[in-house]
Amino acid sequence: MPVMINDQTLQFHLQGKDVSYVFHVMKNGQLGQLYFGKKIRNRSDFSHLSKRESRVTSSYVYDDDSTFSLDLIKQEYPGYGTSDYREPAFQIEHPDGSRISDFTYQSYELIKGKPRLSGLPATYVEDDGEADTLVIHMYDKVTNLSLSLMYSVYHGRNVITRSALFTNHGEETHVIKRAHSASVDFPDADYEMIQLSGSWSRERHMSERKLSPGIQSIQSTRGTSSAQHNPFLALKRPMTTEHTGEVYGFSFVYSGNFQAQVEVDHYQTARMTMGINPFDFSWTLGSSASFQTPEVVMAYSKHGLNELSQTYHDLYQSRLARGKWRDAERPVLLNNWEATYFDFDEKKLLSIAEKAKETGVELFVLDDGWFGKRNDDRTSLGDWFVDSKKLPEGLPNLASKLNDMGLLFGLWFEPEMVSKESELYQKHPDWVIQVPGRSNSIGRHQLVLDFANPEVVDYIYEQMATILNEANINYVKWDMNRYMTEIGSLSLLKNQQAEVPHRYILGVYELYERLIEAFPHVLFESCASGGARFDPGMLYYAPQAWTSDDTDAMERLSIQYGTSLVYPLSSMGAHVSAVPNHQVKRITSLETRANVAYFGAFGYELDVTKMNKDELKEMTEQIRWYKENRQLLQYGAFYRLRSPFEQKGNVTSWMSVSSDQTKAIVGYYQVLAEPNPSFKRLYLKGLAAEKEYEVSGYEGTYFGDELMNAGIQLSSGYDGSQTGGLEESGDFSSHVFVLVETDQNNRGGEV
Ligand code: DGJ
């Protein structure tokens, strides 16, 4: 039974595959948290798990019970103002100016399956048997507001999802100041917090810190989830590794301003809260109106970070991403951005496409610069009609020429933006995010369209739909290249101005939803100056995302490794680009560039017409090999073996294993060559202990248990005398090797 309810003690026990989550109704009618962790057996009453002694300095709710201080008690969705001094999950300002709410338990509802969240991305079920949902209905009698806390537990996964819904049943208007989606009070604070942080071209680097008293917080105030911090955090025990120990994950299915934090209090307990960033946010809740928070996906692993990642990969790949492309092998693409930037015409594009086709590329993507008068990044965003100087025969014609070559055609848009120098801006200066009387800061010479205004969303939909209808387009790269400033909307009332960032994101979701409904065959790839909006919210609409503008193979090791903490390989756009690399000027071999990019949705981003014969031959072979293995590379179980964030980051290794464990592909990468290096072994993961494998580059066969426990000896190639094994020498070297189960009849060896 995934949800066990005791109607006497009003205790709720959610059980996933190997996880339990227990809470109850406390004596003040609010919800108290009892347990979150490894699956435990049910009992009629767990309330002892929340017992506290009184503390002389505490404020307490009842005169005759000094132990009942909310400061001491683990809570489920805490408010501020009634004896708990930690940061709350929510806060509402009422018409009388007060900020105290008291939501008390009314009833519960048990739903088979998992309801969708209206207007918001969320994980889903395909069959109601996959999950159960518990909704706890709470009510504040003084304000006539209700709060419904929704919990879904997936059978067979270690995942519990949460969200909250506020509804105003009274006549007066209230203002939500803070509405997080989930809050978890941990009984101790002996954890390390892992976050994915960075900046443009170095997104989602893993960093860790030991929890210490006070608040440790990550957030975005930029209007997108951002490159600076991903909407994710994990709490792991200090001894937890990639493959052992306990870890909790919290991932926010949202693409705008978020906050995720852990507060360690004076009793060394830890409160994790996650949701829309309360900074610069408020929401006016009029009579009969509701406010739905986005979803937080909580995951649990008793076997380290890698298992946590696999839980997210599997869920996000199969029950967050949607549509025709969700489970499909992703096409090998060639994108013209780093090949031509803005400098192209049809002839040039077709000559690149032709060569690309010869090497085995399947999809040609025309990036920025095809519309308006866009010869640089100062102009034309918003004018979504073809530049007839560059493409005199138009997009439909270009598409059919590419189709005739046997290529799919993909196109770049930046729907949320407008250039000052554009017809759209001349016509509608009122359609940009702005604060009257203030000048508008610029980013990449462009302004942000007011997607909080439905009229703007409608207009952009029409523009994009026209293009998608008239040309045969199979892929759209949806870019977003600046953060928000001077946030305000001319379409909203004064008291709604702090709603703009959230309404904007709802507008983005609305546009995506309409487009994927009207053009279900299109593969969407999200992008925001590279990976500045690589989040679960986007994956609901676009099953892949451009991981980073940094295409350097060595930089990509950290970026892809960090990204893999939450996101599946099928979602990570990864391209081979030219050298010297355009971002860091590094020169790496074509082999190493492909060896890194293979572990993702693979493609090229260079001018193939400038490649020599040998390079083209190598590229052709790379594509042939990738196609043969892409099912495994995009959808296999992913294991991180060596971290670029440890041991001076010189070695990274990872592998993908097929679901039947008959095949695996390992990537091994070394940044700098070492003189007279130590003897290295690589311990593989995820193989079947009893299966016997051939390993490319090695003589003989090996059982899975040997490969995982004794490992394989890596050859450094340092003195050139070794034969067989991994030939590692020189800077930026890499090796990909393939393990295939030997013929079933050819088995030997006993355990
Ligand atoms: C930023 C993206 O990340 C790049 O890949 C490219 O599409 C440029 N924008 C185009 O302006």
Side-chain angles (χ1 to χ4, degrees):
M1 267 300 280
V3 181
M4 287 160 281
I5 300 170
N6 187 313
D7 287 302
Q8 266 75 52
T9 55
L10 287 179
Q11 175 188 289
F12 305 89
H13 183 173
L14 284 73
Q15 245 181 20
K17 183 168 141 228
D18 199 26
V19 63
S20 281
Y21 190 89
V22 191
F23 60 93
H24 70 158
V25 178
M26 302 187 294
K27 73 181 193 181
N28 66 348
Q30 295 178 4
L31 297 181
Q33 199 162 72
L34 295 169
Y35 178 73
F36 180 23
K38 180 156 170 55
K39 181 150 118 184
I40 51 176
R41 74 196 59 240
N42 196 34
R43 57 182 294 168
S44 57
D45 189 10
F46 278 112
S47 56
H48 52 278
L49 289 178
S50 142
K51 284 256 153 43
R52 287 281 182 260
E53 300 158 1
S54 69
R55 286 287 188 265
V56 76
T57 53
S58 299
S59 320
Y60 36 95
V61 177
Y62 304 106
D63 210 358
D64 60 353
D65 183 0
S66 58
T67 67
F68 199 80
S69 163
L70 294 176
D71 213 26
L72 307 176
I73 292 175
K74 288 183 289 164
Q75 291 162 82
E76 200 46 33
Y77 195 71
Y80 169 80
T82 51
S83 77
D84 184 354
Y85 300 98
R86 292 165 287 182
E87 286 217 344
F90 73 98
Q91 190 172 38
I92 303 169
E93 191 176 293
H94 306 298
D96 63 1
S98 71
R99 282 98 50 226
I100 305 280
S101 304
D102 183 12
F103 288 104
T104 57
Y105 174 81
Q106 299 298 302
S107 62
Y108 70 82
E109 196 183 337
L110 207 46
I111 302 167
K112 275 252 144 272
K114 185 170 188 294
R116 301 233 169 189
L117 300 184
S118 158
L120 285 168
T123 56
Y124 60 88
V125 292
E126 286 199 329
D127 180 311
D128 283 348
E130 291 176 20
D132 282 289
T133 297
L134 173 68
V135 186
I136 304 288
H137 297 291
M138 319 277 291
Y139 202 81
D140 181 8
K141 294 192 186 79
V142 174
T143 58
N144 278 321
L145 297 178
S146 70
L147 164 65
S148 298
L149 297 177
M150 186 154 91
Y151 301 80
S152 296
V153 54
Y154 278 92
H155 315 166
R157 297 181 195 271
N158 289 323
V159 167
I160 291 162
T161 66
R162 292 184 58 175
S163 64
L165 174 75
F166 293 90
T167 304
N168 181 358
H169 303 271
E171 297 299 319
E172 296 183 289
T173 294
H174 302 254
V175 181
I176 298 175
K177 302 290 228 184
R178 178 188 190 96
H180 273 186
S181 299
S183 175
V184 178
D185 281 351
F186 287 88
D188 70 84
D190 191 18
Y191 291 99
E192 285 166 1
M193 173 168 147
I194 302 178
Q195 63 197 63
L196 298 174
S197 298
S199 185
W200 175 78
S201 84
R202 47 182 169 82
E203 298 89 343
R204 290 173 301 287
H205 283 207
M206 275 169 80
S207 81
E208 271 175 35
R209 49 177 142 164
K210 190 160 169 34
L211 291 187
S212 59
I215 294 174
Q216 24 263 292
S217 175
I218 51 171
Q219 65 167 1
S220 170
T221 55
R222 296 165 188 266
T224 74
S225 49
S226 88
Q228 281 65 23
H229 301 290
N230 199 252
F232 169 80
L233 69 81
L235 291 177
K236 75 171 190 68
R237 292 295 185 186
M239 300 298 284
T240 295
T241 67
E242 274 290 347
H243 303 286
T244 60
E246 189 168 50
V247 56
Y248 298 82
F250 302 92
S251 168
F252 193 31
V253 188
Y254 190 60
S255 312
N257 291 343
F258 74 93
Q259 183 187 58
Q261 66 180 37
V262 181
E263 178 169 4
V264 176
D265 73 358
H266 52 143
Y267 297 117
Q268 288 299 305
T269 70
R271 169 172 293 172
M272 189 306 304
T273 58
M274 180 177 253
I276 291 176
N277 197 346
F279 174 78
D280 203 34
F281 165 84
S282 69
W283 194 271
T284 304
L285 199 65
S287 177
S288 304
S290 289
F291 182 77
Q292 171 68 61
T293 74
E295 175 171 285
V296 164
V297 177
M298 311 195 300
Y300 173 78
S301 162
K302 188 76 185 161
H303 302 111
L305 292 168
N306 209 102
E307 187 184 273
L308 188 85
S309 300
Q310 288 185 356
T311 300
Y312 279 117
H313 292 182
D314 196 57
L315 181 72
Y316 285 179
Q317 188 276 311
S318 65
R319 293 293 180 269
L320 178 62
R322 296 177 295 167
K324 155 179 167 170
W325 287 99
R326 185 188 75 179
D327 306 318
E329 290 186 2
R330 307 293 164 73
V332 176
L333 66 79
L334 183 130
N335 180 305
N336 76 312
W337 179 241
E338 287 199 16
T340 66
Y341 296 103
F342 296 105
D343 181 19
F344 61 82
D345 56 18
E346 187 183 278
K347 196 163 155 244
K348 197 171 194 179
L349 295 180
L350 289 175
S351 67
I352 293 174
E354 213 164 316
K355 263 276 164 296
K357 171 65 191 165
E358 283 169 24
T359 63
V361 163
E362 296 159 306
L363 162 68
F364 179 82
V365 178
L366 173 52
D367 209 278
D368 195 354
W370 58 267
F371 51 93
K373 302 184 186 81
R374 185 118 166 133
N375 294 319
D376 57 37
D377 60 11
R378 294 182 164 269
T379 167
S380 299
L381 292 171
D383 295 346
W384 299 111
F385 39 82
V386 77
D387 177 351
S388 49
K389 282 209 180 107
K390 286 181 186 166
L391 303 171
E393 293 185 39
L395 287 173
N397 221 284
L398 176 63
S400 60
K401 284 181 188 160
L402 292 165
N403 294 163
D404 288 348
M405 285 182 201
L407 286 167
L408 299 171
F409 177 42
L411 194 62
W412 181 97
F413 286 93
E414 194 173 357
E416 301 153 66
M417 297 291 150
V418 67
S419 306
K420 266 193 156 169
E421 202 181 295
S422 67
E423 290 181 21
L424 181 61
Y425 184 70
Q426 294 318 311
K427 237 173 55 209
H428 280 295
D430 53 322
W431 276 6
V432 304
I433 297 273
Q434 61 188 284
V435 175
R438 303 277 168 199
S439 64
N440 237 342
S441 306
I442 287 285
R444 210 196 186 198
H445 316 290
Q446 63 200 50
L447 298 167
V448 185
L449 281 174
D450 179 8
F451 267 44
N453 179 355
E455 217 187 324
V456 177
V457 175
D458 282 349
Y459 175 84
I460 296 295
Y461 173 79
E462 292 305 331
Q463 301 298 300
M464 292 178 77
T466 304
I467 303 266
L468 294 176
N469 272 322
E470 67 187 19
N472 187 21
I473 293 170
N474 298 88
Y475 162 107
V476 165
K477 178 174 171 186
W478 178 320
D479 207 345
M480 197 281 187
N481 283 307
R482 66 155 289 188
Y483 294 136
M484 285 182 197
T485 53
E486 293 88 17
I487 297 171
S489 166
L490 300 186
S491 71
L492 292 172
L493 301 170
K494 278 186 203 149
N495 65 355
Q496 292 178 306
Q497 293 301 312
E499 298 176 11
V500 173
H502 182 56
R503 286 187 183 273
Y504 175 94
I505 288 295
L506 295 179
V508 171
Y509 291 154
E510 158 87 13
L511 180 59
Y512 255 121
E513 191 67 37
R514 286 171 68 180
L515 288 168
I516 61 174
E517 211 168 284
F519 305 97
H521 62 283
V522 171
L523 169 60
F524 282 88
E525 175 154 342
S526 77
C527 173
S529 304
R533 203 162 60 182
F534 199 129
D535 59 56
M538 282 292 118
L539 284 186
Y540 187 64
Y541 306 95
Q544 60 189 60
W546 182 223
T547 312
S548 174
D549 273 351
D550 196 334
T551 52
D552 171 67
M554 293 300 105
E555 294 302 316
R556 274 295 184 123
L557 292 173
S558 306
I559 296 167
Q560 291 176 207
Y561 191 97
T563 305
S564 80
L565 193 55
V566 188
Y567 305 98
L569 265 56
S570 58
S571 70
M572 281 188 225
H575 300 173
V576 172
S577 60
V579 289
N581 169 268
H582 293 195
Q583 292 76 40
V584 294
K585 310 285 176 240
R586 188 175 284 136
I587 296 178
T588 56
S589 67
L590 184 54
E591 181 188 12
T592 286
R593 281 172 273 155
N595 283 349
V596 176
Y598 285 149
F599 290 82
F602 182 66
Y604 291 80
E605 189 154 337
L606 39 68
D607 188 347
V608 264
T609 64
K610 295 192 177 134
M611 290 170 91
N612 66 32
K613 248 190 178 166
D614 289 344
E615 288 170 331
L616 285 170
K617 202 168 148 215
E618 194 175 341
M619 176 174 168
T620 309
E621 176 51 24
Q622 289 174 345
I623 295 175
R624 188 206 58 74
W625 183 86
Y626 183 75
K627 286 178 182 168
E628 198 176 295
N629 293 295
R630 74 176 136 189
Q631 178 65 34
L632 166 54
L633 289 163
Q634 293 173 359
Y635 296 99
F638 187 65
Y639 292 86
R640 291 179 295 265
L641 304 178
R642 298 285 288 274
S643 170
F645 301 108
E646 283 165 13
Q647 296 158 345
K648 296 190 200 147
N650 204 38
V651 169
T652 300
S653 182
W654 51 43
M655 67 189 284
S656 276
V657 183
S658 68
S659 55
D660 60 4
Q661 295 168 301
T662 56
K663 194 166 180 186
I665 299 178
V666 181
Y668 184 88
Y669 314 90
Q670 179 174 285
V671 182
L672 294 180
E674 282 180 82
N676 194 12
S678 57
F679 300 100
K680 295 193 179 71
R681 297 193 76 80
L682 184 65
Y683 301 91
L684 305 186
K685 293 282 173 197
L687 302 172
E690 73 291 354
K691 286 195 198 304
E692 194 177 357
Y693 298 90
E694 282 168 10
V695 184
S696 59
Y698 285 76
E699 297 281 325
T701 59
Y702 305 84
F703 283 100
D705 54 2
E706 180 189 330
L707 291 169
M708 293 190 289
N709 295 296
I712 50 173
Q713 174 82 35
L714 301 174
S715 163
S716 70
Y718 177 66
D719 63 6
S721 67
Q722 296 187 49
T723 52
L726 198 57
E727 293 291 328
E728 284 310 321
S729 57
D731 295 345
F732 320 133
S733 58
S734 69
H735 194 86
V736 162
F737 53 107
V738 181
L739 284 78
V740 184
E741 188 190 7
T742 53
D743 188 340
Q744 303 284 322
N745 303 321
N746 195 16
R747 270 196 192 163
E750 301 270 317
V751 178

